Amino acid sequence: MDHQFAVLTDLSDVPEPPAPERLRISGCSVVVHFAHRLREGVDFSHVSSSGGLPEIDDDRSYQTKVRPGSGLVYSALFDSGPLPAALARVVGSNHAAGLRQAAVSLGGEYVLTALPLLLSVPGPITRETAAIELTTPLTTDTLLRFVSLLGAPEISRTLAEQCARALARTVGIAPGDIEKTWAVEGSVAVQVWNLDGTQNRATTSLYAGVDESARYAWEIAALLSYATDHLVEDGLWLRRSPQSVFGHVRTGMAFFDDHMVFVNSDCCLEMAHLPAWLRGRSQFRLSEYGFDSSSIFVWTVGILRRIVCDDLGSRYRAALAALAMLNEISPAEQSQLTRRRVQHAALLDRCVGFREKLIEGRNRSLDEWAVRERPAAEVMATLNRDMEKCETVSLSLLRVREDQEKNRRDSLIAVMGVVLAVVQIPDFVDQVAGWLDARRWALLGISALLIVVPLAVLLRVRRRRSR
């Protein structure tokens, strides 16, 4: 079933630019992601199953949307340190909120942490879960500045460090077991779930999918463009062209006409209005995940797939460059490369095959849409090619070593053959006795050299091979 709908069918459908503060958001979730690579030999599947990582065991969890055998770990939220003061100030919050994150992994040495930041005016949500309490609803400009600040180097570095420390502490590993942590660019997800602050909009009115998305096309296009710096400040998003707005908002995705999802290469945005019908499941998911959107759940797993492919691509390119500098490798080194490649191939199979583990067609369609917006086929093809090259090159270097070892052995065997042919061991003992009686020291010395020197060379070769 196709779940995509035309929001704007023609350029003439784009409305006139609105008043800057027309859309007022009383509640939203902004999810950012941080990638972590564990040191070699640490498999997150084993770490997470050993205890310490909180799980969500409930029929309202998103795990119920995934078939068994996917290998996915998506934990419950756990403490992730304090909210940086600069983020609280930009939204006018005086509430010192603590942050919580979830760990997401398909095994191996990679784990993604999803950090949802709930922003809400006081209400049922703020009583149930940790949230950044707003004194007034957010305007589009304020939300844009907040999302932009999340990507600022200092804030991003602070949050990444907090997430890494909290992850290590929660799963019970040493901080040094996390080899690398980085903020994932172009991975923001936003769910607008409370529009109560918007003037002349009834709390009891569900979000009118296509119609309201067309009405708020300028604001939606601005949020989808958070990564474009010059649109963030001074309300410049209102000065973009209707063609640009049309390009961002012409197509959305929905299952029922009470919400709308938009995806581009940098953002997954869901527009909804939960207070019109705040079901227990929505309350549960906002509290346990930080968002009530299966689309953001699917987007997050897609981000995990992206960081695995991108980072493995960098590592195998570096491995090829390193192998190009070598003349040979040992059997142990080649075996390690092969074992690592097999493990990575299995992880990639889980990443690529995850879509087929999604039960609902709308979620599979959204994942396909996200991949089209950020093409991954070329990245995957290049990665597979580099992995095969590493295997081929390493086997060639091993064969070079084996050929050299064989040549050395053949040379030694030939030398020993010459020695044995010269000295003819059975007769040699009697001959030595005769030379001793006759005191023929020169012949004794030459014979000793013919035996000792090859043995010394053989011993030296064996020592070198044992290193």
Side-chain angles (χ1 to χ4, degrees), residues 150-172:
L150 281 169
E154 185 176 349
I155 296 294
S156 182
R157 183 170 56 253
T158 297
L159 291 176
E161 291 171 355
Q162 289 183 197
C163 288
R165 286 195 301 269
L167 176 65
R169 182 175 61 251
T170 301
V171 300

Side-chain angles (χ1 to χ4, degrees), residues 19-134:
E21 299 187 0
R22 175 184 62 170
L23 183 67
R24 306 276 291 189
I25 300 167
S26 297
C28 69
S29 300
V30 179
V31 188
V32 290
H33 300 89
F34 298 92
H36 312 271
R37 187 177 74 211
L38 307 183
R39 65 173 175 81
E40 188 171 352
V42 180
D43 188 322
F44 191 77
S45 296
H46 301 154
V47 171
S48 61
S49 62
S50 63
L53 191 68
E55 299 179 357
I56 303 175
D57 184 14
D58 193 284
D59 59 8
R60 295 168 294 183
S61 74
Y62 288 120
Q63 290 283 24
T64 60
K65 296 185 176 294
V66 181
R67 302 182 197 279
S70 68
L72 178 68
V73 174
Y74 198 117
S75 77
L77 296 171
F78 54 91
D79 290 340
S80 186
L83 173 72
L87 289 171
R89 283 196 300 269
V90 79
V91 292
S93 175
N94 55 14
H95 183 66
L99 300 177
R100 299 190 300 162
Q101 65 178 346
V104 187
S105 178
L106 283 166
E109 63 261 55
Y110 291 97
V111 56
L112 183 76
T113 49
L115 180 68
L117 297 102
L118 274 73
L119 301 100
S120 177
V121 297
I125 295 301
T126 58
R127 291 195 295 269
E128 293 290 334
T129 190
I132 304 169
E133 290 190 1
L134 306 174

Side-chain angles (χ1 to χ4, degrees), residues 216-427:
Y216 298 127
W218 286 83
E219 291 90 344
I220 291 171
L223 294 174
L224 289 170
S225 306
Y226 74 88
T228 307
D229 290 342
H230 72 275
L231 293 176
V232 173
E233 297 295 336
D234 303 321
L236 293 180
W237 58 274
L238 289 165
R239 297 176 59 183
R240 70 195 311 178
S241 68
Q243 289 90 337
S244 179
V245 174
F246 178 73
H248 279 89
V249 189
R250 61 183 174 182
T251 303
M253 179 175 285
F255 189 66
F256 295 112
D257 195 33
D258 60 353
H259 70 286
M260 188 67 69
V261 179
F262 300 89
V263 170
N264 64 12
S265 60
D266 296 309
C267 184
C268 176
L269 169 66
E270 176 165 330
M271 301 291 294
H273 183 63
L274 298 181
W277 184 23
L278 187 58
R279 297 164 295 169
R281 188 177 69 173
S282 296
Q283 186 89 31
F284 171 84
R285 288 177 175 170
L286 284 171
S287 299
E288 296 296 326
Y289 289 94
F291 54 86
D292 177 31
S293 169
S294 63
S295 299
I296 293 178
F297 168 76
V298 173
W299 170 263
T300 296
V301 180
I303 297 300
L304 171 63
R305 178 174 56 217
R306 187 206 308 175
I307 66 112
V308 169
C309 293
D310 288 350
D311 192 63
L312 282 179
S314 298
R315 292 171 67 185
Y316 274 93
R317 286 193 297 273
L320 279 171
L323 288 172
M325 303 297 292
L326 301 177
N327 295 321
E328 61 179 52
I329 61 173
S330 69
E333 290 170 324
Q334 202 282 326
S335 177
Q336 184 182 34
L337 287 171
T338 298
R339 183 170 60 253
R340 190 183 301 155
R341 178 178 176 272
V342 169
Q343 291 169 346
H344 290 160
L347 175 59
L348 288 172
D349 286 343
R350 290 193 294 274
C351 288
V352 173
F354 181 78
R355 181 185 301 159
E356 300 309 314
K357 295 294 184 179
L358 293 168
I359 295 173
E360 296 186 30
R362 59 170 175 159
N363 291 328
R364 293 194 296 272
S365 296
L366 184 125
D367 189 56
E368 291 173 2
W369 188 10
V371 169
R372 284 198 301 270
E373 288 293 326
R374 184 187 283 271
E378 185 176 343
V379 174
M380 183 64 72
T382 301
L383 173 56
N384 285 328
R385 191 161 55 246
D386 287 345
M387 290 172 70
E388 291 174 0
K389 283 181 181 178
C390 276
E391 184 73 5
T392 301
V393 172
S394 66
L395 286 171
S396 298
L397 292 173
L398 178 62
R399 280 195 293 270
V400 168
R401 182 189 179 95
E402 290 174 342
D403 289 343
Q404 291 174 343
E405 292 290 342
K406 183 177 182 298
N407 291 336
R408 284 194 287 265
R409 286 196 302 270
D410 291 346
S411 299
L412 287 172
I413 290 171
V415 170
M416 292 303 296
V418 170
V419 171
L420 293 175
V422 170
V423 301
Q424 296 187 8
I425 294 297
D427 299 329

